[in-house]
Amino acid sequence: CGVSFSGLDLSGIKISGALLKKSVFDRANLSGSDLSFCKLQNSYFYNTNLSNCNMKGVEFGEFASLQVPTCQGILFLNED
């Protein structure tokens, strides 16, 4: 865990359920990706493109930092 994806174009990636704790997504492009059920505790998102991203069931945890320019099209669902 703790990988830097800063500046990478990961648009359309399908990594449902991935363990990505303490990862950095500074200026990464995750548009149209499937991050459903990923473990993102203590991860850092700054100027990250999350448009049309499936984030159903994502676990951000207490200390995740999510600072994105827009949340348009992001799917956050809690099915509890």
Side-chain angles (χ1 to χ4, degrees), residues 6-80:
S6 295
L8 296 180
D9 182 359
L10 302 171
S11 55
I13 193 167
K14 303 206 182 314
I15 53 174
S16 181
L19 179 62
L20 298 168
K21 294 179 181 179
K22 299 181 182 177
S23 293
V24 178
F25 296 92
D26 184 23
R27 300 174 332 274
N29 181 3
L30 292 167
S31 61
S33 63
D34 181 2
L35 301 178
S36 57
F37 304 102
C38 285
K39 312 286 191 261
L40 294 168
Q41 292 90 338
N42 299 325
S43 290
Y44 178 79
F45 294 82
Y46 182 76
N47 283 333
T48 304
N49 184 346
L50 295 172
S51 59
N52 300 308
C53 184
N54 180 359
M55 300 187 83
K56 174 182 175 182
V58 167
E59 294 179 30
F60 286 110
E62 211 171 309
F63 300 107
S65 178
L66 184 62
Q67 299 173 12
V68 296
T70 180
C71 290
Q72 185 174 4
I74 300 173
L75 175 63
F76 291 100
L77 291 177
N78 184 354
E79 296 187 359
D80 290 340

